[in-house]
Amino acid sequence: MREMTLIQAVNDGLRTALADDSRVILLGEDIGKNGGVFRATEGLCEEFGEDRVVDTPLAEAGIIGASVGLAANGLIPVPEIQFMGFIYSGFEQIVSHVARLRMRSRGRFTVPMVIRVPYGGRIRAPELHSDSTETFFAHTPGLTVVSPSNPYDAKGLLLAAVKSPDPVLFLEPMHIYRAFRQSVPDEAYTVPIGEARVVKEGRHVTVITWGAMVRDVMDAVPKLEAQRGIELEVIDLRTLAPWDEDTVFASVRKTGRAVIVHEAVTNLGLGAELSARIHEHCILDLEAPVARVGGLDVPVPLFQLEDLHAPTYTRIERAIDKVLEF
Amino acid sequence: MQKPSDIAHEMLVRMYRQMSLLREFDRRSVRLQRAGRIGTYPPLEGQEACQVASTLALRAQDFVVPTYRDYGAMMVHGVPMENILMYWNGRSEGCEIPHDVNVFPIAVPIATQLPHAAGLAWAAKLKKEDQVALGFFGDGASSEGDFHEAMNFAGVFKLPVVFFCENNQYAISVPFARQTATETIAQKAAAYGVTGLRVPGWDAVAIYRAVRDAVSRAAEGGGPTLIEALTYRYGPHTTSDDPTKYRPAGEAEAWRERDALHLLSQSLRTFGLWDDELETALAKEIDETIRSAIAIMESLGPVNPLHLFDHVYASLPKYLQRQRDTLLSELSADAIRTSLPKEPSQ
Ligand SMILES: Cc1ncc(C[n+]2csc(CCOP(=O)(O)OP(=O)(O)O)c2C)c(N)n1
C-alpha cells in the first residue's frame, strides 16, 4: 500500500500492466521522454524501452487508427490522447472502427485497447483544453466508457480496462489529478467495469455523479444534510457506458428522488439518458421528477469563467431543493 | 549581409522594431505568467523573424491564420496587444478582432487552421478578390491529416494561399525526426503540386522575400506555396513545460548564436540605418507600449459572467435565455451567501 494521487495511481496502473503482460504497448504524444504532459507515463519509457512506450508523431487519427491494427494483430495498445478537446480528429477512427470492428467482422477481429484521455475543466488551461464530451462516446454502441473519481479506482479500473475484451475509453478527471491522496495496493487488482459505487448511503435523495464531480458533491453533502435534516445517497457511476442500472434503480426506488450532477453541458449530456431511464423504470417510486445539474449549455469558456460553467454549489443545492419540495 | 536593393529601408527598420517589440512583449508575458497575472502562455522567443517578416510581406487585405504561438503575427497584422494579453488572461474580450483586421482567431487544436486558410483563399478566388491567406503551423502539425488535406485542396484548386511552417524543431518534447522520415517539410509540397521552399528562420530578409514572392505569385494566379522556416523556440513550449527534460543542454544557446534579432540589428548598423541612440529611444517606446497594454488588461475588473452566453448563437435560444436568467439569480444568491458561513471549497 502506498498513498498516491490519482495521476500517480494511473502511472502505477500502467507500470503494472506493462510488467504483467508483454502485449501491452503505450503510444501517444510526449508520453516517452517527457513522461506525458501530466506525468502519467513518467519513468515508463526508461523502464520498458522505446518500443513499448512510444512517442508518436502528432496525429490522433494515426494513433487511434494504428491502435486498431495493433490490437487486431495481437497487441494491447493503450493510446494516450493529450486532452479530450484534441480527440476529435481521432473520432472517426473511434466511432467507425474501434467501436465496430468486432461486429463488422462477426467477431473475427477484436480491438481490445484502452484509450486514455484527461477530461473536464477547472485547471486554468487554455481554450479547448477543458471539454467534457463523454456523451459522444457513451452514445456510441460497442464502446465502454469509464471514469475513476479516486486513486484506488483509477488503478483498478485501468487494469480491468486493459483486461477487457472490448475497447475502453478511460476518462481521467484532470481537476482531481493531484487533489488528494489515497492508499493504493502495490499489487495488481481490478475494479469491475460496469459497477457503480455507492459512496455514501442515505434515505432521502440519490445523487448520481462521476469523475471530478464526486468530490464536489461529497464536499457539499455535510452542509446540505445539516441544513435540511436529510440524508443523501451518493452514487459514483464509474462506468458511464454501459452504466449500472441495478445500483441506480435500487437506490432511486429506496429514496424516491434523484439528482444527476455532471460537468458536461446539460443539453443531451449523460444526465438526460439517466433521467429518461429512471423515469421509464422507476416512475411509480418517484416522489419528484429527476433533476439534472450539468454544465451551462455553452462552450467551456476561457478560464476566468470556467468555474461558473461547471455545476456550482448553488446549482447542486437548488436541484436538491427542487426534488425535495416538488 | 548585402544591403538589399529590393526592400525599402523603412521596411527593414520596421521589421527590426516589430521584432524587438515582440521579444520584449514575450519576456514580459512570461514574467506576468510567473506572477499569476496571466494564465498559461506559449512563448515565441526565437521565432520573431518568422512571424514579423512574413506578416509584413502581406497586404492589409490578406488574411493571417494563426496558431496559439502566432499572436506575434496577429499583432503585426493589427490585433491590439491588450487583446492578446486578455486572451492569455482567460478573458473572452481577448477574442475580439477589429472589423477591419483580417486575422483569424488563435487555433489551439493542431493543424486545424490550415484548411481554413485554404478556404479563405478559395473564397477570394471565387469572388475574384485580390486576397491571399497566410496560414501558420509548426513542424508537429505536418503530421496531422488536416495539414495534408489543406495542401491538397490548395494544390487541386490552385488557391492563393501560403502555408508557413515555423519548424522550431520540437512539438512539445517530440523532435522533428519523430514527425517525419523526410529530410524537410518543404519537400512535402511536391506531392500536392504546391511550390515548396525552405528558408533560414534567423534571416528576416530571406523570410520577407520568400513570403512577398509567394504572395505575388498567389495573387497572380500562380497557386499556393509551402514555406518552411528553420527556427527554434529558446524557451519552453508553454509556461507549464520543462524543456530540460527533452532537449540537450546547450542546444538553445547554440541557436542564440544566430539570433534573428541580433543579426538584423548588426546589418542595420552596417547599412547605417541604426545606432545606439535609436536603440535607446526604441526601448523606451516599447516599454511604454507594453506597459499601457498591461494597464488596459488590468483595468478591466472582474469578468462579466454573462459573457458566457454572448455570441454562442446569433440570437439566444429560449432554453439558453432561461439558463442566463437563472445564472443571474444565482449570482445574486451568491452575493447574499457571502455574509453566511463559507461554502465548501470546490
Ligand atoms: C490536435 C491536437 N493534439 C494535441 C495538442 C496538444 N499540443 C499542443 S501544442 C503541441 C505541439 C505542437 O507542435 P508544433 O505543431 O510543432 O508547433 P509548436 O508548438 O512547436 O509551435 C501539442 C501536441 C493539440 N493542441 N491539438
Side-chain angles (χ1 to χ4, degrees), chain A residues 29-30 58 60 82-83 86 89 129, chain B residues 47 67-69 108-110 137-142 144 166 168 170-172 233 237:
Chain A
E29 296 157 13
D30 302 289
L58 208 181
E60 290 74 15
Q82 221 156 60
F83 286 85
F86 307 142
S89 84
H129 286 70
Chain B
Q47 303 181 210
T67 75
Y68 47 85
R69 210 184 298 285
V108 171
I110 302 299
F137 65 108
D139 42 306
S142 74
E144 293 273 11
E166 289 165 81
N168 65 9
Y170 290 90
I172 308 189
R233 71 168 146 78
H237 165 70

PDB file of all heavy atoms in Angstrom, chain A residues 29-30 58 60 82-83 86 89 129, chain B residues 47 67-69 108-110 137-142 144 166 168 170-172 233 237, ligand 1:
ATOM      1  N   GLU A  29       1.439  11.190 -27.766  1.00  0.00           N
ATOM      2  CA  GLU A  29       2.272  12.376 -27.941  1.00  0.00           C
ATOM      3  C   GLU A  29       2.941  12.737 -26.617  1.00  0.00           C
ATOM      4  O   GLU A  29       2.250  12.883 -25.602  1.00  0.00           O
ATOM      5  CB  GLU A  29       1.400  13.544 -28.435  1.00  0.00           C
ATOM      6  CG  GLU A  29       0.800  13.268 -29.805  1.00  0.00           C
ATOM      7  CD  GLU A  29      -0.460  14.089 -30.096  1.00  0.00           C
ATOM      8  OE1 GLU A  29      -0.747  15.049 -29.361  1.00  0.00           O
ATOM      9  OE2 GLU A  29      -1.158  13.744 -31.071  1.00  0.00           O
ATOM     10  N   ASP A  30       4.241  12.862 -26.609  1.00  0.00           N
ATOM     11  CA  ASP A  30       5.006  13.309 -25.432  1.00  0.00           C
ATOM     12  C   ASP A  30       4.960  12.335 -24.258  1.00  0.00           C
ATOM     13  O   ASP A  30       5.245  12.708 -23.131  1.00  0.00           O
ATOM     14  CB  ASP A  30       4.516  14.693 -24.959  1.00  0.00           C
ATOM     15  CG  ASP A  30       4.622  15.744 -26.046  1.00  0.00           C
ATOM     16  OD1 ASP A  30       5.752  16.147 -26.382  1.00  0.00           O
ATOM     17  OD2 ASP A  30       3.575  16.164 -26.591  1.00  0.00           O
ATOM     18  N   LEU A  58       2.540  13.624 -34.159  1.00  0.00           N
ATOM     19  CA  LEU A  58       1.393  14.369 -33.629  1.00  0.00           C
ATOM     20  C   LEU A  58       0.164  14.106 -34.511  1.00  0.00           C
ATOM     21  O   LEU A  58      -0.103  14.868 -35.449  1.00  0.00           O
ATOM     22  CB  LEU A  58       1.755  15.867 -33.650  1.00  0.00           C
ATOM     23  CG  LEU A  58       1.125  16.826 -32.656  1.00  0.00           C
ATOM     24  CD1 LEU A  58       1.642  18.242 -32.916  1.00  0.00           C
ATOM     25  CD2 LEU A  58      -0.368  16.806 -32.625  1.00  0.00           C
ATOM     26  N   GLU A  60      -3.746  12.271 -34.052  1.00  0.00           N
ATOM     27  CA  GLU A  60      -4.694  11.468 -33.271  1.00  0.00           C
ATOM     28  C   GLU A  60      -5.352  10.386 -34.113  1.00  0.00           C
ATOM     29  O   GLU A  60      -5.588   9.271 -33.633  1.00  0.00           O
ATOM     30  CB  GLU A  60      -5.748  12.378 -32.629  1.00  0.00           C
ATOM     31  CG  GLU A  60      -5.202  13.252 -31.502  1.00  0.00           C
ATOM     32  CD  GLU A  60      -4.345  14.414 -31.983  1.00  0.00           C
ATOM     33  OE1 GLU A  60      -4.391  14.734 -33.189  1.00  0.00           O
ATOM     34  OE2 GLU A  60      -3.616  14.997 -31.153  1.00  0.00           O
ATOM     35  N   GLN A  82      -3.893  13.585 -25.615  1.00  0.00           N
ATOM     36  CA  GLN A  82      -3.393  14.524 -24.603  1.00  0.00           C
ATOM     37  C   GLN A  82      -4.480  15.237 -23.804  1.00  0.00           C
ATOM     38  O   GLN A  82      -4.360  15.410 -22.598  1.00  0.00           O
ATOM     39  CB  GLN A  82      -2.479  15.539 -25.283  1.00  0.00           C
ATOM     40  CG  GLN A  82      -1.266  15.863 -24.477  1.00  0.00           C
ATOM     41  CD  GLN A  82      -0.133  16.370 -25.348  1.00  0.00           C
ATOM     42  OE1 GLN A  82      -0.286  17.386 -26.029  1.00  0.00           O
ATOM     43  NE2 GLN A  82       0.976  15.681 -25.350  1.00  0.00           N
ATOM     44  N   PHE A  83      -5.524  15.676 -24.478  1.00  0.00           N
ATOM     45  CA  PHE A  83      -6.673  16.301 -23.830  1.00  0.00           C
ATOM     46  C   PHE A  83      -7.912  15.885 -24.626  1.00  0.00           C
ATOM     47  O   PHE A  83      -7.834  15.674 -25.826  1.00  0.00           O
ATOM     48  CB  PHE A  83      -6.586  17.835 -23.907  1.00  0.00           C
ATOM     49  CG  PHE A  83      -5.571  18.460 -22.999  1.00  0.00           C
ATOM     50  CD1 PHE A  83      -4.244  18.573 -23.393  1.00  0.00           C
ATOM     51  CD2 PHE A  83      -5.942  18.969 -21.761  1.00  0.00           C
ATOM     52  CE1 PHE A  83      -3.301  19.168 -22.569  1.00  0.00           C
ATOM     53  CE2 PHE A  83      -4.999  19.575 -20.935  1.00  0.00           C
ATOM     54  CZ  PHE A  83      -3.683  19.674 -21.334  1.00  0.00           C
ATOM     55  N   PHE A  86      -8.784  17.322 -27.951  1.00  0.00           N
ATOM     56  CA  PHE A  86      -7.966  17.013 -29.128  1.00  0.00           C
ATOM     57  C   PHE A  86      -8.218  15.603 -29.640  1.00  0.00           C
ATOM     58  O   PHE A  86      -7.469  15.079 -30.461  1.00  0.00           O
ATOM     59  CB  PHE A  86      -6.481  17.184 -28.806  1.00  0.00           C
ATOM     60  CG  PHE A  86      -6.176  18.531 -28.221  1.00  0.00           C
ATOM     61  CD1 PHE A  86      -5.236  18.690 -27.214  1.00  0.00           C
ATOM     62  CD2 PHE A  86      -6.844  19.658 -28.674  1.00  0.00           C
ATOM     63  CE1 PHE A  86      -4.975  19.934 -26.668  1.00  0.00           C
ATOM     64  CE2 PHE A  86      -6.594  20.911 -28.132  1.00  0.00           C
ATOM     65  CZ  PHE A  86      -5.657  21.045 -27.124  1.00  0.00           C
ATOM     66  N   SER A  89     -10.010  14.565 -34.017  1.00  0.00           N
ATOM     67  CA  SER A  89      -9.513  14.070 -35.307  1.00  0.00           C
ATOM     68  C   SER A  89      -9.394  12.547 -35.269  1.00  0.00           C
ATOM     69  O   SER A  89      -9.384  11.891 -36.304  1.00  0.00           O
ATOM     70  CB  SER A  89      -8.195  14.741 -35.704  1.00  0.00           C
ATOM     71  OG  SER A  89      -7.116  14.085 -35.108  1.00  0.00           O
ATOM     72  N   HIS A 129      -9.122  23.077 -23.870  1.00  0.00           N
ATOM     73  CA  HIS A 129      -8.459  22.025 -23.113  1.00  0.00           C
ATOM     74  C   HIS A 129      -9.383  21.444 -22.039  1.00  0.00           C
ATOM     75  O   HIS A 129      -8.938  20.652 -21.228  1.00  0.00           O
ATOM     76  CB  HIS A 129      -7.198  22.560 -22.423  1.00  0.00           C
ATOM     77  CG  HIS A 129      -6.041  22.795 -23.337  1.00  0.00           C
ATOM     78  ND1 HIS A 129      -6.015  23.792 -24.264  1.00  0.00           N
ATOM     79  CD2 HIS A 129      -4.862  22.140 -23.462  1.00  0.00           C
ATOM     80  CE1 HIS A 129      -4.858  23.756 -24.914  1.00  0.00           C
ATOM     81  NE2 HIS A 129      -4.142  22.762 -24.451  1.00  0.00           N
TER      82      HIS A 129
ATOM     83  N   GLN B  47      11.420  33.020 -32.497  1.00  0.00           N
ATOM     84  CA  GLN B  47      10.631  32.913 -33.725  1.00  0.00           C
ATOM     85  C   GLN B  47      10.145  34.272 -34.225  1.00  0.00           C
ATOM     86  O   GLN B  47       9.249  34.356 -35.063  1.00  0.00           O
ATOM     87  CB  GLN B  47       9.461  31.949 -33.510  1.00  0.00           C
ATOM     88  CG  GLN B  47       9.929  30.568 -33.069  1.00  0.00           C
ATOM     89  CD  GLN B  47       8.824  29.540 -32.865  1.00  0.00           C
ATOM     90  OE1 GLN B  47       8.960  28.661 -32.040  1.00  0.00           O
ATOM     91  NE2 GLN B  47       7.721  29.648 -33.607  1.00  0.00           N
ATOM     92  N   THR B  67      -1.728  30.039 -35.184  1.00  0.00           N
ATOM     93  CA  THR B  67      -1.870  29.080 -34.085  1.00  0.00           C
ATOM     94  C   THR B  67      -1.724  29.873 -32.785  1.00  0.00           C
ATOM     95  O   THR B  67      -1.535  31.091 -32.804  1.00  0.00           O
ATOM     96  CB  THR B  67      -0.762  28.007 -34.084  1.00  0.00           C
ATOM     97  OG1 THR B  67       0.457  28.604 -33.603  1.00  0.00           O
ATOM     98  CG2 THR B  67      -0.516  27.454 -35.482  1.00  0.00           C
ATOM     99  N   TYR B  68      -1.746  29.147 -31.673  1.00  0.00           N
ATOM    100  CA  TYR B  68      -1.584  29.761 -30.346  1.00  0.00           C
ATOM    101  C   TYR B  68      -0.247  30.471 -30.191  1.00  0.00           C
ATOM    102  O   TYR B  68      -0.087  31.291 -29.299  1.00  0.00           O
ATOM    103  CB  TYR B  68      -1.698  28.681 -29.249  1.00  0.00           C
ATOM    104  CG  TYR B  68      -0.851  27.484 -29.614  1.00  0.00           C
ATOM    105  CD1 TYR B  68       0.504  27.434 -29.318  1.00  0.00           C
ATOM    106  CD2 TYR B  68      -1.400  26.457 -30.372  1.00  0.00           C
ATOM    107  CE1 TYR B  68       1.291  26.387 -29.742  1.00  0.00           C
ATOM    108  CE2 TYR B  68      -0.617  25.401 -30.802  1.00  0.00           C
ATOM    109  CZ  TYR B  68       0.722  25.365 -30.487  1.00  0.00           C
ATOM    110  OH  TYR B  68       1.499  24.342 -30.928  1.00  0.00           O
ATOM    111  N   ARG B  69       0.762  30.130 -31.011  1.00  0.00           N
ATOM    112  CA  ARG B  69       2.053  30.773 -30.830  1.00  0.00           C
ATOM    113  C   ARG B  69       2.248  31.968 -31.774  1.00  0.00           C
ATOM    114  O   ARG B  69       3.278  32.626 -31.733  1.00  0.00           O
ATOM    115  CB  ARG B  69       3.195  29.767 -31.031  1.00  0.00           C
ATOM    116  CG  ARG B  69       4.437  30.101 -30.198  1.00  0.00           C
ATOM    117  CD  ARG B  69       5.600  29.168 -30.475  1.00  0.00           C
ATOM    118  NE  ARG B  69       5.340  27.794 -30.166  1.00  0.00           N
ATOM    119  CZ  ARG B  69       5.291  27.300 -28.930  1.00  0.00           C
ATOM    120  NH1 ARG B  69       5.539  28.077 -27.902  1.00  0.00           N
ATOM    121  NH2 ARG B  69       5.011  26.027 -28.721  1.00  0.00           N
ATOM    122  N   VAL B 108      -6.158  26.371 -31.443  1.00  0.00           N
ATOM    123  CA  VAL B 108      -5.488  25.527 -30.456  1.00  0.00           C
ATOM    124  C   VAL B 108      -5.327  24.073 -30.933  1.00  0.00           C
ATOM    125  O   VAL B 108      -4.262  23.498 -30.761  1.00  0.00           O
ATOM    126  CB  VAL B 108      -6.201  25.628 -29.087  1.00  0.00           C
ATOM    127  CG1 VAL B 108      -5.668  24.597 -28.111  1.00  0.00           C
ATOM    128  CG2 VAL B 108      -6.029  27.035 -28.514  1.00  0.00           C
ATOM    129  N   PRO B 109      -6.365  23.462 -31.520  1.00  0.00           N
ATOM    130  CA  PRO B 109      -6.151  22.077 -31.995  1.00  0.00           C
ATOM    131  C   PRO B 109      -5.213  22.087 -33.208  1.00  0.00           C
ATOM    132  O   PRO B 109      -5.467  22.789 -34.193  1.00  0.00           O
ATOM    133  CB  PRO B 109      -7.547  21.596 -32.395  1.00  0.00           C
ATOM    134  CG  PRO B 109      -8.496  22.654 -31.923  1.00  0.00           C
ATOM    135  CD  PRO B 109      -7.725  23.924 -31.810  1.00  0.00           C
ATOM    136  N   ILE B 110      -4.171  21.311 -33.115  1.00  0.00           N
ATOM    137  CA  ILE B 110      -3.068  21.389 -34.076  1.00  0.00           C
ATOM    138  C   ILE B 110      -3.516  21.145 -35.516  1.00  0.00           C
ATOM    139  O   ILE B 110      -4.228  20.178 -35.795  1.00  0.00           O
ATOM    140  CB  ILE B 110      -1.969  20.358 -33.708  1.00  0.00           C
ATOM    141  CG1 ILE B 110      -1.462  20.601 -32.290  1.00  0.00           C
ATOM    142  CG2 ILE B 110      -0.815  20.398 -34.701  1.00  0.00           C
ATOM    143  CD1 ILE B 110      -0.841  21.939 -32.048  1.00  0.00           C
ATOM    144  N   PHE B 137       1.851  27.240 -39.112  1.00  0.00           N
ATOM    145  CA  PHE B 137       1.789  25.953 -38.412  1.00  0.00           C
ATOM    146  C   PHE B 137       3.183  25.544 -37.969  1.00  0.00           C
ATOM    147  O   PHE B 137       4.182  26.132 -38.394  1.00  0.00           O
ATOM    148  CB  PHE B 137       1.148  24.873 -39.291  1.00  0.00           C
ATOM    149  CG  PHE B 137       1.928  24.495 -40.533  1.00  0.00           C
ATOM    150  CD1 PHE B 137       2.569  23.264 -40.608  1.00  0.00           C
ATOM    151  CD2 PHE B 137       2.011  25.347 -41.621  1.00  0.00           C
ATOM    152  CE1 PHE B 137       3.276  22.891 -41.740  1.00  0.00           C
ATOM    153  CE2 PHE B 137       2.720  24.992 -42.764  1.00  0.00           C
ATOM    154  CZ  PHE B 137       3.353  23.763 -42.824  1.00  0.00           C
ATOM    155  N   GLY B 138       3.251  24.529 -37.127  1.00  0.00           N
ATOM    156  CA  GLY B 138       4.533  24.057 -36.635  1.00  0.00           C
ATOM    157  C   GLY B 138       4.927  22.756 -37.306  1.00  0.00           C
ATOM    158  O   GLY B 138       4.132  22.149 -38.030  1.00  0.00           O
ATOM    159  N   ASP B 139       6.138  22.305 -37.037  1.00  0.00           N
ATOM    160  CA  ASP B 139       6.600  21.044 -37.632  1.00  0.00           C
ATOM    161  C   ASP B 139       5.725  19.873 -37.191  1.00  0.00           C
ATOM    162  O   ASP B 139       5.420  18.975 -37.978  1.00  0.00           O
ATOM    163  CB  ASP B 139       8.064  20.784 -37.285  1.00  0.00           C
ATOM    164  CG  ASP B 139       8.404  21.121 -35.835  1.00  0.00           C
ATOM    165  OD1 ASP B 139       8.133  22.262 -35.417  1.00  0.00           O
ATOM    166  OD2 ASP B 139       8.929  20.253 -35.120  1.00  0.00           O
ATOM    167  N   GLY B 140       5.290  19.913 -35.925  1.00  0.00           N
ATOM    168  CA  GLY B 140       4.424  18.838 -35.440  1.00  0.00           C
ATOM    169  C   GLY B 140       3.134  18.755 -36.240  1.00  0.00           C
ATOM    170  O   GLY B 140       2.634  17.669 -36.533  1.00  0.00           O
ATOM    171  N   ALA B 141       2.613  19.916 -36.608  1.00  0.00           N
ATOM    172  CA  ALA B 141       1.340  19.971 -37.326  1.00  0.00           C
ATOM    173  C   ALA B 141       1.393  19.248 -38.663  1.00  0.00           C
ATOM    174  O   ALA B 141       0.368  18.805 -39.182  1.00  0.00           O
ATOM    175  CB  ALA B 141       0.930  21.424 -37.533  1.00  0.00           C
ATOM    176  N   SER B 142       2.599  19.107 -39.208  1.00  0.00           N
ATOM    177  CA  SER B 142       2.706  18.462 -40.516  1.00  0.00           C
ATOM    178  C   SER B 142       2.389  16.971 -40.434  1.00  0.00           C
ATOM    179  O   SER B 142       2.266  16.305 -41.455  1.00  0.00           O
ATOM    180  CB  SER B 142       4.104  18.667 -41.100  1.00  0.00           C
ATOM    181  OG  SER B 142       5.035  17.839 -40.428  1.00  0.00           O
ATOM    182  N   GLU B 144      -0.388  15.865 -38.948  1.00  0.00           N
ATOM    183  CA  GLU B 144      -1.842  15.732 -38.865  1.00  0.00           C
ATOM    184  C   GLU B 144      -2.465  15.660 -40.253  1.00  0.00           C
ATOM    185  O   GLU B 144      -2.005  16.327 -41.196  1.00  0.00           O
ATOM    186  CB  GLU B 144      -2.453  16.939 -38.121  1.00  0.00           C
ATOM    187  CG  GLU B 144      -2.087  17.028 -36.649  1.00  0.00           C
ATOM    188  CD  GLU B 144      -3.029  16.227 -35.747  1.00  0.00           C
ATOM    189  OE1 GLU B 144      -3.849  15.429 -36.256  1.00  0.00           O
ATOM    190  OE2 GLU B 144      -2.925  16.411 -34.517  1.00  0.00           O
ATOM    191  N   GLU B 166       6.709  27.166 -39.165  1.00  0.00           N
ATOM    192  CA  GLU B 166       7.778  27.568 -38.258  1.00  0.00           C
ATOM    193  C   GLU B 166       8.332  26.270 -37.680  1.00  0.00           C
ATOM    194  O   GLU B 166       7.827  25.766 -36.684  1.00  0.00           O
ATOM    195  CB  GLU B 166       7.220  28.454 -37.144  1.00  0.00           C
ATOM    196  CG  GLU B 166       6.804  29.824 -37.632  1.00  0.00           C
ATOM    197  CD  GLU B 166       5.938  30.558 -36.613  1.00  0.00           C
ATOM    198  OE1 GLU B 166       6.490  31.142 -35.673  1.00  0.00           O
ATOM    199  OE2 GLU B 166       4.707  30.542 -36.757  1.00  0.00           O
ATOM    200  N   ASN B 168      10.324  24.789 -35.523  1.00  0.00           N
ATOM    201  CA  ASN B 168      11.155  25.133 -34.358  1.00  0.00           C
ATOM    202  C   ASN B 168      11.752  23.882 -33.711  1.00  0.00           C
ATOM    203  O   ASN B 168      12.150  23.900 -32.556  1.00  0.00           O
ATOM    204  CB  ASN B 168      10.361  25.977 -33.353  1.00  0.00           C
ATOM    205  CG  ASN B 168       9.197  25.219 -32.736  1.00  0.00           C
ATOM    206  OD1 ASN B 168       9.053  24.008 -32.921  1.00  0.00           O
ATOM    207  ND2 ASN B 168       8.361  25.915 -32.009  1.00  0.00           N
ATOM    208  N   TYR B 170      10.778  21.126 -32.427  1.00  0.00           N
ATOM    209  CA  TYR B 170      10.100  20.291 -31.429  1.00  0.00           C
ATOM    210  C   TYR B 170       8.599  20.519 -31.459  1.00  0.00           C
ATOM    211  O   TYR B 170       8.147  21.642 -31.660  1.00  0.00           O
ATOM    212  CB  TYR B 170      10.598  20.604 -30.006  1.00  0.00           C
ATOM    213  CG  TYR B 170      12.011  20.136 -29.764  1.00  0.00           C
ATOM    214  CD1 TYR B 170      13.089  20.967 -30.036  1.00  0.00           C
ATOM    215  CD2 TYR B 170      12.264  18.854 -29.283  1.00  0.00           C
ATOM    216  CE1 TYR B 170      14.390  20.539 -29.849  1.00  0.00           C
ATOM    217  CE2 TYR B 170      13.567  18.413 -29.088  1.00  0.00           C
ATOM    218  CZ  TYR B 170      14.625  19.262 -29.371  1.00  0.00           C
ATOM    219  OH  TYR B 170      15.904  18.822 -29.175  1.00  0.00           O
ATOM    220  N   ALA B 171       7.849  19.446 -31.247  1.00  0.00           N
ATOM    221  CA  ALA B 171       6.427  19.567 -30.929  1.00  0.00           C
ATOM    222  C   ALA B 171       6.349  19.159 -29.457  1.00  0.00           C
ATOM    223  O   ALA B 171       6.481  17.983 -29.132  1.00  0.00           O
ATOM    224  CB  ALA B 171       5.602  18.633 -31.795  1.00  0.00           C
ATOM    225  N   ILE B 172       6.167  20.126 -28.596  1.00  0.00           N
ATOM    226  CA  ILE B 172       6.396  19.959 -27.160  1.00  0.00           C
ATOM    227  C   ILE B 172       7.745  19.237 -26.990  1.00  0.00           C
ATOM    228  O   ILE B 172       8.775  19.862 -27.234  1.00  0.00           O
ATOM    229  CB  ILE B 172       5.226  19.262 -26.417  1.00  0.00           C
ATOM    230  CG1 ILE B 172       3.889  19.998 -26.744  1.00  0.00           C
ATOM    231  CG2 ILE B 172       5.471  19.312 -24.908  1.00  0.00           C
ATOM    232  CD1 ILE B 172       2.701  19.541 -25.906  1.00  0.00           C
ATOM    233  N   ARG B 233      12.516  27.530 -30.727  1.00  0.00           N
ATOM    234  CA  ARG B 233      11.978  28.292 -29.593  1.00  0.00           C
ATOM    235  C   ARG B 233      12.988  28.149 -28.470  1.00  0.00           C
ATOM    236  O   ARG B 233      13.299  27.044 -28.053  1.00  0.00           O
ATOM    237  CB  ARG B 233      10.577  27.828 -29.197  1.00  0.00           C
ATOM    238  CG  ARG B 233      10.493  26.493 -28.549  1.00  0.00           C
ATOM    239  CD  ARG B 233       9.145  26.206 -27.923  1.00  0.00           C
ATOM    240  NE  ARG B 233       8.787  24.813 -28.017  1.00  0.00           N
ATOM    241  CZ  ARG B 233       9.265  23.839 -27.237  1.00  0.00           C
ATOM    242  NH1 ARG B 233      10.133  24.119 -26.281  1.00  0.00           N
ATOM    243  NH2 ARG B 233       8.881  22.601 -27.408  1.00  0.00           N
ATOM    244  N   HIS B 237       7.809  25.066 -24.227  1.00  0.00           N
ATOM    245  CA  HIS B 237       6.645  25.020 -25.121  1.00  0.00           C
ATOM    246  C   HIS B 237       5.556  25.966 -24.613  1.00  0.00           C
ATOM    247  O   HIS B 237       4.993  26.758 -25.355  1.00  0.00           O
ATOM    248  CB  HIS B 237       6.125  23.584 -25.201  1.00  0.00           C
ATOM    249  CG  HIS B 237       4.766  23.478 -25.792  1.00  0.00           C
ATOM    250  ND1 HIS B 237       4.523  23.705 -27.124  1.00  0.00           N
ATOM    251  CD2 HIS B 237       3.557  23.198 -25.232  1.00  0.00           C
ATOM    252  CE1 HIS B 237       3.216  23.546 -27.366  1.00  0.00           C
ATOM    253  NE2 HIS B 237       2.624  23.244 -26.240  1.00  0.00           N
TER     254      HIS B 237
HETATM  255  C1  LIG C   1      -4.981  18.030 -32.158  1.00  0.00           C
HETATM  256  C2  LIG C   1      -4.061  18.383 -31.030  1.00  0.00           C
HETATM  257  N1  LIG C   1      -3.340  17.427 -30.444  1.00  0.00           N
HETATM  258  C3  LIG C   1      -2.528  17.729 -29.406  1.00  0.00           C
HETATM  259  C4  LIG C   1      -2.427  19.008 -28.950  1.00  0.00           C
HETATM  260  C5  LIG C   1      -1.501  19.332 -27.769  1.00  0.00           C
HETATM  261  N2  LIG C   1      -0.387  20.105 -28.257  1.00  0.00           N
HETATM  262  C6  LIG C   1      -0.374  21.454 -28.172  1.00  0.00           C
HETATM  263  S1  LIG C   1       0.929  22.117 -28.916  1.00  0.00           S
HETATM  264  C7  LIG C   1       1.548  20.626 -29.364  1.00  0.00           C
HETATM  265  C8  LIG C   1       2.806  20.555 -30.159  1.00  0.00           C
HETATM  266  C9  LIG C   1       2.702  21.313 -31.441  1.00  0.00           C
HETATM  267  O1  LIG C   1       3.910  21.312 -32.104  1.00  0.00           O
HETATM  268  P1  LIG C   1       4.138  22.100 -33.444  1.00  0.00           P
HETATM  269  O2  LIG C   1       2.998  21.842 -34.393  1.00  0.00           O
HETATM  270  O3  LIG C   1       5.488  21.773 -33.922  1.00  0.00           O
HETATM  271  O4  LIG C   1       4.035  23.628 -33.047  1.00  0.00           O
HETATM  272  P2  LIG C   1       4.889  24.432 -31.947  1.00  0.00           P
HETATM  273  O5  LIG C   1       4.210  24.261 -30.635  1.00  0.00           O
HETATM  274  O6  LIG C   1       6.257  23.893 -31.972  1.00  0.00           O
HETATM  275  O7  LIG C   1       4.824  25.858 -32.357  1.00  0.00           O
HETATM  276  C10 LIG C   1       0.712  19.610 -28.909  1.00  0.00           C
HETATM  277  C11 LIG C   1       0.967  18.167 -29.088  1.00  0.00           C
HETATM  278  C12 LIG C   1      -3.210  19.989 -29.587  1.00  0.00           C
HETATM  279  N3  LIG C   1      -3.184  21.274 -29.219  1.00  0.00           N
HETATM  280  N4  LIG C   1      -4.015  19.655 -30.625  1.00  0.00           N
END
